[in-house]
């Protein structure tokens, strides 16, 4: 019987045996579950990608890009974290709500690490392109040599933290900034909840 009929019988037998084995395996697995035997392994779907929370400036509410070259981070005296989009917003906020000792950091333009602004050298009023910076653009450097080299190439003044604070306070951007009355509030520009 090497005819198509035999092939048809083989196919039918193969199907019946496969289905029978599958049913037997399912029945055994169900019996194992009911008797406390080993449970089948369940494959879970891969975890969903979780997007990081977007940082917002504590003064103007603007998105603060983690790659911004002029961003500040602050921990206040209540251990609450704040992000700022610029030196203007950081200085305006810290004038009203002082940071915890050592709790204010700025992005180092050269090393791309957060550093203490008190120890940094700030290039102010230059033509240097500072990614994500709000006016006036300021770039912080961890060393005087790096700041001087940037000033030589792009102009501007190299200032220490106290000098930068004084220069920023004279700008129209600082005078127009609005700081939230409560530290927990984010203030969109022009909101009524803010003090000048």
């Amino acid at each position: 019987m090497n005819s198509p009929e035999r092939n048809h019988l083989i196919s039918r037998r193969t199907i019946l045996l496969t289905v029978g084995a599958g049913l037997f395996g399912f029945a055994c697995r169900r019996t194992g579950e009911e008797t406390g035997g080993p449970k089948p392994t369940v494959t879970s779907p891969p975890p969903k990608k979780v997007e990081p929370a977007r940082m917002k400036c504590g003064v103007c509410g603007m998105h603060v890009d983690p790659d911004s070259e002029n961003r500040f981070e602050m921990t206040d005296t209540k251990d609450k974290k704040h992000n700022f989009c610029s030196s203007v917003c950081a200085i305006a906020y810290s004038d009203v709500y002082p940071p915890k000792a050592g709790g204010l950091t700025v992005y180092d333009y050269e090393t791309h690490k957060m550093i203490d602004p008190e120890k940094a050298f700030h290039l102010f009023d230059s033509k240097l392109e500072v990614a994500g910076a709000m006016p006036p653009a300021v770039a912080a450097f961890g060393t005087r040599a790096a700041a001087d080299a940037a000033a030589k190439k792009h102009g501007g003044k190299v200032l220490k933290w106290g000098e930068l604070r004084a220069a920023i306070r004279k700008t129209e951007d600082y005078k127009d900034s609005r700081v939230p009355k409560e530290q927990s509030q984010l203030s969109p520009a022009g909101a009524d909840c803010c003090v000048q």
Side-chain angles (χ1 to χ4, degrees):
M1 246 176 131
N2 279 336
S3 66
E5 293 172 1
R6 181 180 166 113
N7 290 339
H8 183 63
L9 288 175
I10 293 172
S11 297
R12 201 177 292 170
R13 274 190 205 147
T14 304
I15 291 171
L16 288 174
L17 285 174
T18 304
V19 170
L23 289 173
F24 179 74
F26 179 74
C28 289
R29 184 171 58 182
R30 295 290 297 162
T31 304
E33 286 176 9
E34 292 166 1
T35 61
K39 295 182 179 175
T41 306
V42 177
T43 306
S44 60
K48 292 181 179 178
K49 183 179 176 184
V50 177
E51 293 294 324
R54 294 187 76 172
M55 296 185 294
K56 288 190 175 183
C57 178
V59 173
C60 68
M62 184 178 134
H63 169 68
V64 180
D65 191 306
D67 296 324
S68 170
E69 296 173 331
N70 188 36
R71 69 184 173 91
F72 284 75
E73 294 175 355
M74 183 181 117
T75 303
D76 66 24
T77 55
K78 296 179 182 178
D79 285 329
K80 186 169 179 183
K81 302 250 186 236
H82 304 274
N83 296 289
F84 302 101
C85 65
S86 66
S87 53
V88 171
C89 289
I91 291 168
Y93 194 90
S94 64
D95 281 350
V96 177
Y97 302 105
K100 182 179 189 175
L104 185 63
T105 57
V106 63
Y107 186 90
D108 184 322
Y109 187 86
E110 185 178 45
T111 66
H112 311 288
K113 294 180 181 173
M114 300 305 287
I115 60 173
D116 183 344
E118 299 254 354
K119 296 176 182 171
F121 299 89
H122 305 271
L123 183 57
F124 176 73
D125 197 24
S126 79
K127 302 285 187 229
L128 178 67
E129 287 194 31
V130 182
M134 297 299 292
V138 177
F141 295 87
T143 66
R144 178 77 191 211
D148 286 341
K152 184 176 180 181
K153 186 173 181 179
H154 302 282
K157 296 179 241 168
V158 177
L159 305 174
K160 287 300 288 174
W161 181 239
E163 297 169 317
L164 177 66
R165 290 175 73 95
I168 291 293
R169 288 181 185 126
K170 293 176 186 174
T171 67
E172 288 302 314
D173 295 299
Y174 177 86
K175 293 172 187 171
D176 292 340
S177 66
R178 295 172 174 262
V179 177
K181 288 180 184 175
E182 297 292 325
Q183 288 182 324
S184 62
Q185 292 177 318
L186 279 179
S187 167
D192 293 333
C193 67
C194 308
V195 295
Q196 289 185 357

